[in-house]
Amino acid sequence: MTPLLRSAILTCCFLILTGCTSGGIPQWRQFHGNLAGQGYIPVESGFALSSAWVTGPYKLTSSSPVIGNDINGKQIVYFGTVDGELVAIDSEDGNERWRRSFASNDKIAHIVSTPAVSRNGDVYVITLHPLANRRFRSVLHKVDEFSRIRWSYAFADNGFTSGSPRILKWGEDTLIFVYLTAVVDDDPQGALWVLRDNGKTVDKLDRKTLGRCNWGSAEQRANRQDVFDSFSAVEEFIFANPAETGGRDLPDIFVDPTLAVFTDRKRPLIAIADSLCSIGAYEWDDELSVVWREFHPFEKHSSTALLPNGMMVFGRQDGKTLAYDMETGVNLWEYDAGRPVFATPAAAPGENLFIIAKDHIEVLRQQDGTLVHDGELPRKFALLDQTYASPAVSENCMYVSTRALLSFSHDLSTRSQDNNFSGNGLASIALANNGALYAVAADGTIHKYLGPK
């Protein structure tokens, strides 16, 4: 098999995974690009040297931009704010199309996760609402492209999440997959929810606990309290005004991971490594069933990426990046980067897996998790600052949001930076299917960088 043919086959696999059956380039509609969370779009892009436009500031911290299309096919950029607003801006000039608030005088709302956009332009967004004792409850909303709320769904058991929803068109159904932490008998337990969008209403199809975490011993009870303390610490950091967040050290805690969905099989496979006690994969066929799962001792994880080669990869607070066989649960390899890996790994067709370990980038081989070397030099790069923002990858470039916006060739040998941009270390870059970039700055503005001419 020639390298060109192999690259073409791998690219086709990526297109299938993103649900692109017409041969066009898929859109960055969901967190980290697509259902599988690969952080990749098969488009040529350029080095981001200066922004084409900059919006006014929003109270925007950890919600990353996503891209949809309006009824006329124009690209619209969506994001959420910590004061509870879903915002739509025009990709051509950065002008605001509309904003929809979910807060009121007697109802506080925050949006800290990334929205998701369906192919017909509906936007799905999760709001967080404070309860007593520093607890929260999450509500999922469907908003049409004209900012009208079509329905809202409050999760039971005081379920809360700072992860993002995944939207899948499967047959005649529009399915929504969400990971939440539920509080049952005052114990936090991870759960997967599956909802069906009926247009103006929504149905709960299934809810599956990922495995009962054992909070019996003194150490485990301390871990249980750490769940709530960690979320409160995240609240204090992420719910702050963006101007207060900029320049602060990133705490070694992070938002809930977002699940990943693999559709290149007979039934959808849903995978997640949660931050409570479970790693696993589940299959959807009118209900959720366990493909495999294992328990872990209360480790905090990044969101999951599912690769066309059958791997489930994710990072961990202790600096490890791990790869599992998504169908069997066999642990294939581990790599220790030495610093927390809360950014979702990104993969392009070929061998490269890009990971960000808080203050540096490393490029691993997908197959065995070893660090790529160029001669005797390791393929790694020290960043200008800390970041938990996930990388975005095109056919020829990789982008990272840190104290500057950094652009790299895949081998890291060619790079550039825009020093007029300063990221907040939380929100990830969105990469459009025309090669344009959208990046969130520390002051809450969004910068657009044009694709190649």
Side-chain angles (χ1 to χ4, degrees):
M1 181 184 294
T2 67
L4 181 61
L5 179 58
R6 182 173 181 272
S7 177
I9 291 172
L10 286 170
T11 300
C12 288
C13 290
F14 271 86
L15 292 174
I16 292 169
L17 275 171
T18 56
C20 179
T21 57
S22 63
I25 299 173
Q27 193 67 278
W28 197 279
R29 299 179 182 276
Q30 312 204 35
F31 171 73
H32 211 40
N34 59 8
L35 278 163
Q38 294 154 355
Y40 166 79
I41 278 190
V43 64
E44 292 281 335
S45 59
F47 285 81
L49 299 175
S50 61
S51 50
W53 52 249
V54 180
T55 68
Y58 293 91
K59 291 185 178 180
L60 172 56
T61 56
S62 59
S63 180
S64 304
V66 290
I67 305 167
N69 296 92
D70 68 9
I71 195 170
N72 298 313
K74 291 185 177 180
Q75 291 187 352
I76 309 299
V77 180
Y78 300 95
F79 55 88
T81 69
V82 292
D83 55 351
E85 293 185 326
L86 176 66
V87 183
I89 60 175
D90 194 305
S91 68
E92 293 183 357
D93 52 21
N95 288 334
E96 186 178 298
R97 285 208 170 189
W98 52 257
R99 63 172 73 187
R100 162 62 63 180
S101 177
F102 296 96
S104 62
N105 291 332
D106 59 349
K107 183 179 179 182
I108 299 173
H110 307 283
I111 301 175
V112 297
S113 61
T114 301
V117 188
S118 71
R119 292 188 175 277
N120 61 2
D122 294 316
V123 187
Y124 300 81
V125 64
I126 294 174
T127 54
L128 272 174
H129 303 270
L131 303 174
N133 301 320
R134 304 189 78 180
R135 306 288 174 86
F136 297 88
R137 188 180 193 185
S138 286
V139 180
L140 174 68
H141 310 270
K142 174 187 174 182
V143 180
D144 68 19
E145 68 167 286
F146 304 106
S147 82
R148 297 174 298 203
I149 299 175
R150 311 308 291 181
W151 50 254
S152 297
Y153 184 86
F155 293 97
D157 301 325
N158 290 334
F160 62 89
T161 186
S162 48
S164 300
R166 293 294 194 190
I167 313 301
L168 170 64
K169 184 69 175 179
W170 192 255
E172 297 300 315
D173 292 333
T174 297
L175 302 177
I176 308 156
F177 299 94
V178 182
Y179 165 78
L180 292 102
T181 298
V183 182
V184 181
D185 298 327
D186 208 37
D187 285 341
Q189 304 288 348
L192 288 180
W193 289 68
V194 186
L195 308 176
R196 179 175 60 209
D197 179 6
N198 300 316
K200 296 182 180 179
T201 61
V202 61
D203 292 332
K204 184 189 82 170
L205 299 184
D206 201 3
R207 174 194 178 279
K208 191 170 199 66
T209 300
L210 301 189
R212 297 283 294 187
C213 302
N214 185 356
W215 305 111
S217 70
E219 179 181 358
Q220 290 161 339
R221 287 194 297 275
N223 285 342
R224 175 184 63 184
Q225 185 57 43
D226 194 28
V227 173
F228 298 114
D229 291 345
S230 294
F231 204 85
S232 295
V234 170
E235 169 203 358
E236 292 172 359
F237 189 84
I238 292 180
F239 292 0
N241 185 291
E244 300 170 4
T245 306
R248 294 170 57 186
D249 286 340
L250 293 175
D252 288 344
I253 51 176
F254 205 48
V255 296
D256 293 319
T258 296
L259 55 86
V261 182
F262 190 85
T263 58
D264 191 21
R265 62 198 301 274
K266 184 177 180 181
R267 301 181 184 94
L269 182 141
I270 303 96
I272 188 168
D274 72 18
S275 292
L276 293 177
C277 65
S278 181
I279 302 169
Y282 303 80
E283 190 174 71
W284 175 253
D285 186 16
D286 296 326
E287 63 180 6
L288 288 167
S289 58
V290 177
V291 177
W292 61 269
R293 67 182 171 195
E294 68 175 44
F295 292 95
H296 66 80
F298 190 57
E299 299 280 0
K300 298 180 179 68
H301 295 99
S302 77
S303 300
T304 291
L306 298 175
L307 309 187
N309 61 13
M311 286 185 182
M312 169 187 179
V313 294
F314 52 89
R316 204 162 67 184
Q317 182 182 3
D318 64 359
K320 298 285 184 65
T321 298
L322 302 96
Y324 283 73
D325 185 297
M326 71 173 76
E327 298 287 353
T328 66
V330 172
N331 186 190
L332 300 172
W333 53 257
E334 296 183 9
Y335 176 80
D336 191 353
R339 297 283 274 161
V341 181
F342 286 133
T344 312
E351 72 168 9
N352 291 334
L353 180 72
F354 302 93
I355 65 168
I356 297 177
K358 193 169 185 176
D359 58 9
H360 66 277
I361 301 168
E362 300 195 33
V363 184
L364 309 182
R365 290 184 178 86
Q366 295 180 24
Q367 193 61 34
D368 58 13
T370 57
L371 180 63
V372 176
H373 282 71
D374 300 303
E376 295 184 357
L377 296 177
R379 193 174 293 180
K380 58 196 301 185
F381 183 81
L383 297 173
L384 300 172
D385 202 357
Q386 303 170 352
T387 187
Y388 290 148
S390 301
V393 181
S394 70
E395 288 265 339
N396 58 313
C397 290
M398 187 265 290
Y399 305 94
V400 178
S401 173
T402 178
R403 196 171 65 197
L405 185 64
L406 303 177
S407 307
F408 297 88
S409 59
H410 285 191
D411 62 6
L412 306 188
S413 64
T414 306
R415 50 188 177 266
S416 69
Q417 62 190 55
D418 178 11
N419 289 321
N420 294 316
F421 171 91
S422 179
N424 63 11
L426 299 173
S428 303
I429 294 166
L431 176 58
N433 58 12
N434 59 6
L437 304 178
Y438 300 91
V440 177
D443 61 0
T445 59
I446 291 184
H447 296 230
K448 178 182 180 177
Y449 296 84
L450 296 176
K453 300 294 184 181

